[in-house]
Amino acid sequence: MLKPKVLVTRRVPEECLDLLKPHFELEHYNKGTAIPRKRLLKSVKDKDGLLCLLTDAIDPELLAAAPRLKAVSTFSVGYDHIDVPACAARGVAVTNTPGVLTESTADFTWALLMAAARRVVEGDAYMRGGKYKGWDPLMLLGTDVSGKTLGVIGFGRIGQAVAKRAGGFSMRVLYYDTRRAAPDAEAALNAAFVPLDELLRESDYVSVHTVLDEDTRHLIGDRAFGLMKKSAYLINAARGPIVDEKALVRALKAERIRGAALDVYEREPKMAPGLASCRNAVLAPHLASATLETRVKMGVMAAEGLIDGLVRKLRSPYRVD
Ligand code: DGY
């Protein structure tokens, strides 16, 4: 019997390919950069399934170019790059990788927060630059973390895992989401549900964990920076466009907030002009889920998603959540 044809759009862990190989005839764009759009549109023409990344837009143009497509599995928890209603209208199943990257993403959010608050990156550059001339009571002073207030925007799996870690720092935790969490989750995490403006006014650290959609695009912009404390930090390991990056550069340069730590950008891999020269910003290249263990789990889950869709023919419900 002929095997279904699948396109894998990027280099992925071997464990992912090992799962796919027995079931599918694979075309693999085995590179560390995004597959060019033209090549993607050409390659999907005869494919039954697609294992894609957040850098591949799965939109009506792609669906039109892929008449045989039945399943799309994204190697990510986020699926804002996929037009899910358009896929549903075409009967294309969509799956993602929720759950397996929650802890590594929450860990990295804390790495960002701590690096910004305690000026770890500046300290590293100071040492390497030969500037350290001995202990000084006023050198590279940061901001306390313990006992401060953490504001979590988006209280899903990752937001809650970030909040959980705040307990170890004896922090007050505020959260905002469009839906209030169950009382037992609030109690377990010692987290208080507040309106967004109150969270922005009260928090020493504002950490973004919401999905990107039309309601959250530029949720954090000039107005939000105007409400935040001058001593506050913004952390974003969710999606770049939730923060108006030009407004952030203005806020950092004018010291309307004390600092920011970012893992994601509005127009990845680019950054807004001026961001790279902001001394009070810690900048990482979308690393939050980048541990060996997590990326293997994501690869396995993404492969299983395609096998579910094309071999086991589990079409509903879609796993995207
Ligand atoms: C995702 O999975 O959506 C991340 O952004 C990459 O881990």
Side-chain angles (χ1 to χ4, degrees):
M1 213 179 73
L2 284 180
K3 289 180 179 174
K5 292 186 176 179
V6 160
L7 171 69
V8 179
T9 64
R10 183 78 73 98
R11 65 178 183 192
V12 290
E14 276 308 314
E15 289 83 346
C16 173
L17 298 171
D18 289 347
L19 274 173
L20 295 172
K21 277 175 194 158
H23 296 286
F24 306 121
E25 186 184 321
L26 290 187
E27 177 180 336
H28 188 192
Y29 189 78
N30 191 9
K31 302 225 165 109
T33 51
I35 184 169
R37 183 74 181 169
K38 249 182 148 170
R39 165 82 190 264
L40 175 63
L41 294 178
K42 190 164 170 250
S43 291
V44 290
K45 272 194 175 19
D46 61 344
K47 298 298 180 293
D48 303 285
L50 183 58
L51 194 141
C52 68
L53 279 95
L54 47 87
T55 40
D56 307 317
I58 310 303
D59 55 11
E61 181 190 37
L62 181 130
L63 293 173
R68 293 170 49 144
L69 197 66
K70 291 173 212 66
V72 173
S73 177
T74 181
F75 190 113
S76 60
V77 63
Y79 52 90
D80 43 281
H81 55 298
I82 301 178
D83 186 335
V84 177
C87 288
R90 263 275 322 271
V92 175
V94 180
T95 67
N96 62 339
T97 63
V100 292
L101 46 76
T102 302
E103 304 304 327
S104 53
T105 301
D107 290 348
F108 194 77
T109 301
W110 276 91
L112 288 174
L113 188 157
M114 297 297 287
R118 301 305 309 273
R119 305 180 68 172
V120 176
V121 180
E122 284 174 272
D124 181 273
Y126 206 73
M127 287 303 292
R128 292 173 200 272
K131 291 189 183 147
Y132 182 49
K133 303 293 179 227
W135 193 83
D136 171 2
L138 297 184
M139 183 181 64
L140 287 173
L141 300 186
T143 305
D144 274 350
V145 174
S146 292
K148 294 293 182 85
T149 298
L150 172 70
V152 178
I153 300 177
F155 210 56
R157 275 182 300 265
I158 296 171
Q160 293 192 21
V162 168
K164 186 175 166 193
R165 285 153 174 76
F169 292 90
S170 310
M171 293 176 92
R172 176 164 80 118
V173 179
L174 307 177
Y175 79 92
Y176 167 76
D177 204 320
T178 47
R179 268 184 309 173
R180 190 167 175 171
D184 55 337
E186 283 186 359
L189 298 167
N190 205 9
F193 179 66
V194 291
L196 179 60
D197 285 4
E198 190 178 327
L199 181 149
L200 293 168
R201 276 196 204 97
E202 297 270 317
S203 299
D204 300 298
Y205 299 93
V206 173
S207 195
V208 177
H209 300 285
T210 184
V211 293
L212 171 65
D213 59 23
E214 282 322 304
D215 294 329
T216 61
R217 190 174 296 276
H218 283 193
L219 184 69
I220 307 296
D222 282 320
R223 185 177 170 280
F225 296 125
L227 291 174
M228 284 169 71
K229 294 180 183 179
K230 273 194 80 172
S231 56
Y233 292 80
L234 175 75
I235 297 101
N236 186 10
R239 282 292 180 267
I242 299 166
V243 174
D244 176 346
E245 213 166 279
K246 285 189 184 147
L248 174 63
V249 172
R250 285 194 292 275
L252 288 171
K253 289 211 185 283
E255 296 186 10
R256 268 163 53 201
I257 61 170
R258 192 169 289 163
L262 307 176
D263 190 40
V264 288
Y265 304 87
E266 243 192 293
R267 288 180 190 80
E268 275 180 47
K270 297 197 171 99
M271 282 190 282
L275 184 56
S277 64
C278 289
R279 174 198 55 73
N280 46 355
V282 169
L283 306 171
H286 209 143
L287 289 179
S289 67
T291 68
L292 203 56
E293 297 92 330
T294 296
R295 289 288 164 85
V296 168
K297 286 183 202 156
M298 290 169 76
V300 166
M301 196 166 182
E304 290 288 354
L306 267 192
I307 297 167
D308 280 350
L310 294 175
V311 180
R312 304 184 187 121
K313 309 245 191 271
L314 302 181
R315 306 303 295 280
S316 168
Y318 297 168
R319 195 198 280 152
V320 288
D321 68 352

